[in-house]
Amino acid sequence: MTALAGILFFTLASISLLHFYWGWGGLWPAKNVADLVKTVAGSPFDRMPPAGLTYGVAVLIFIAALMPGLHLMQVLPDVLSRAALWVLVVVFLGRGAV
C-alpha cells in the first residue's frame, strides 16, 4: 500500500506542476493555445481558464497528492480521511467524464 501511495503522490504532484506551468503560460504538450485547449481543457471550453483558477486547481491537486500519505500516517481521523479520499474519487471521475 505504501508503494501505491508513493505512485499516487508523484503522479498527482506532476499533474499539479503541469497546472502551475500552464498558469504561467506554458503550452506543452501543444504548440499553440487553441491546440492546448483542445488537448488539455476538453470540449466544454473554448479558451484556457484564467491563471488564478489554474493555480487554484494546481494547489488542490497537490493537496490531493498528499492525501494517500496522510491517510497512511493516520494524521487525520479515519472518518475524515476516508471522506476526503471519496471526495477525490468523485471529483476525478467527474473531471474524467467531461
Side-chain angles (χ1 to χ4, degrees), residues 37-47 95 97-98:
V37 171
K38 283 186 223 171
T39 304
V40 174
S43 60
F45 299 97
D46 57 353
R47 59 188 164 87
R95 178 58 180 114
V98 173

Side-chain angles (χ1 to χ4, degrees), residues 1-15 64-66 68-69 72:
M1 186 67 140
T2 316
L4 179 59
I7 291 167
L8 284 170
F9 172 79
F10 284 111
T11 301
L12 291 174
S14 298
I15 293 170
L66 297 174
L72 288 176

Side-chain angles (χ1 to χ4, degrees), residues 62-73:
F62 188 75
I63 291 169
L66 297 174
M67 286 306 300
L70 293 175
H71 179 72
L72 288 176
M73 292 185 303

Side-chain angles (χ1 to χ4, degrees), residues 55-93:
Y55 297 142
V57 169
V59 168
L60 291 174
I61 292 172
F62 188 75
I63 291 169
L66 297 174
M67 286 306 300
L70 293 175
H71 179 72
L72 288 176
M73 292 185 303
Q74 299 177 346
V75 173
L76 303 171
D78 193 49
V79 171
L80 181 61
S81 180
R82 288 182 185 277
L85 290 171
W86 277 109
V87 167
L88 291 175
V89 167
V90 170
V91 168
F92 285 126
L93 285 175

